[in-house]
Amino acid sequence: DQQVKQNSPSLSVQEGRISILNCDYTNSMFDYFLWYKKYPAEGPTFLISISSIKDKNEDGRFTVFLNKSAKHLSLHIVPSQPGDSAVYFCAASATSGTYKYIFGTGTRLKVLA
Amino acid sequence: EAGVAQSPRYKIIEKRQSVAFWCNPISGHATLYWYQQILGQGPKLLIQFQNNGVVDDSQLPKDRFSAERLKGVDSTLKIQPAKLEDSAVYLCASSSLNYGYTFGSGTRLTVV
């Protein structure tokens, strides 16, 4: 049972354009969400988070949007840069529980120069 | 601050052999996690420690996997005996309460 889904395994975007990565979840108890970025041969690194009390969080070129009614979140990268090429994982947690995160399967982003 | 340290980075073993991975979390982080990431999938939680106590090990294949966290700091994850399907990257992460994780670089295990 995949509680966190990233339905696009890969995405290619031109440099300077917007990258939109999507994530859907099924568990209504999830109230805290993270995006991680992973380069080859490295562990995932934290990118940006959002709590369910918000519908948007912005950090520089990265913005995460949360639509609780649709159980959907998205990560926008504007403008995209070649260094953004990596695998992006969304993760969700129910903070009333044990803070464990359930990860999606990842989306491989390739930003073309 | 120093990150989460894991060793070894790579390991190749034959099936039915045993293997152990080591993790040193960020100093002061009470919670430590071991995740298994099979190629093409997202990380899957194997076990979660709070200090030296196990909080969640519901997805740990206990017939072959074991983990311990000595004195609430370092942790080891052991597989005995290994199977081909155990080939994966094993990620250790730690966190302070109420925030996201910091991951180590992982150990890539290949079972042949």
Side-chain angles (χ1 to χ4, degrees):
Chain A
D1 176 28
Q2 190 71 25
Q3 295 187 63
V4 180
K5 300 178 184 178
Q6 293 176 256
N7 292 318
S8 298
S10 63
L11 175 68
S12 291
V13 172
Q14 283 295 132
E15 181 179 6
R17 300 288 186 102
I18 183 171
S19 295
I20 300 176
L21 296 93
N22 293 304
C23 179
D24 297 291
Y25 61 96
T26 58
N27 190 337
S28 58
M29 296 298 293
F30 289 150
D31 58 1
Y32 201 78
F33 306 88
L34 308 174
W35 283 94
Y36 279 85
K37 179 167 73 173
K38 185 181 183 305
Y39 293 116
E42 295 182 14
T45 54
F46 170 75
L47 192 58
I48 193 168
S49 65
I50 189 166
S51 163
S52 61
I53 63 173
K54 292 184 161 186
D55 53 19
K56 176 183 172 182
N57 189 26
E58 193 171 350
D59 183 2
R61 296 185 297 113
F62 302 91
T63 303
V64 56
F65 295 93
L66 175 63
N67 182 333
K68 290 184 288 293
S69 60
K71 295 191 180 68
H72 176 84
L73 64 156
S74 61
L75 174 68
H76 293 210
I77 307 173
V78 182
S80 302
Q81 299 174 354
D84 296 329
S85 298
V87 178
Y88 289 79
F89 293 97
C90 68
S93 171
T95 54
S96 58
T98 57
Y99 297 101
K100 72 178 183 184
Y101 284 90
I102 308 297
F103 284 80
T105 52
T107 297
R108 182 177 300 279
L109 173 66
K110 188 170 184 179
V111 180
L112 307 170
Chain B
E1 106 187 315
V4 176
Q6 287 190 249
S7 67
R9 287 298 307 273
Y10 305 94
K11 191 75 178 178
I12 301 175
I13 62 171
E14 295 182 350
K15 60 184 179 183
R16 291 187 289 273
Q17 285 188 318
S18 60
V19 65
F21 313 127
W22 173 82
C23 173
N24 181 235
I26 290 175
S27 177
H29 279 192
T31 312
L32 184 148
Y33 312 81
W34 282 102
Y35 276 81
Q36 179 194 58
Q37 186 179 6
I38 293 172
L39 187 65
Q41 299 181 20
K44 183 185 85 171
L45 180 68
L46 292 176
I47 188 166
Q48 176 184 353
F49 291 94
Q50 183 74 17
N51 297 308
N52 60 354
V54 175
V55 174
D56 184 346
D57 63 356
S58 57
Q59 297 196 80
L60 187 74
K62 297 180 188 63
D63 57 334
R64 297 184 301 106
F65 286 65
S66 64
E68 60 180 3
R69 189 177 184 195
L70 305 173
K71 300 179 182 177
V73 182
D74 293 6
S75 177
T76 55
L77 176 70
K78 296 179 182 177
I79 308 175
Q80 182 179 8
K83 292 185 175 181
L84 295 176
E85 59 261 35
D86 298 332
S87 295
V89 175
Y90 291 85
L91 294 162
C92 178
S94 70
S95 71
S96 55
L97 200 62
N98 207 20
Y99 198 61
Y101 303 166
T102 301
F103 281 95
S105 299
T107 296
R108 181 176 297 277
L109 174 68
T110 303
V111 182
V112 298

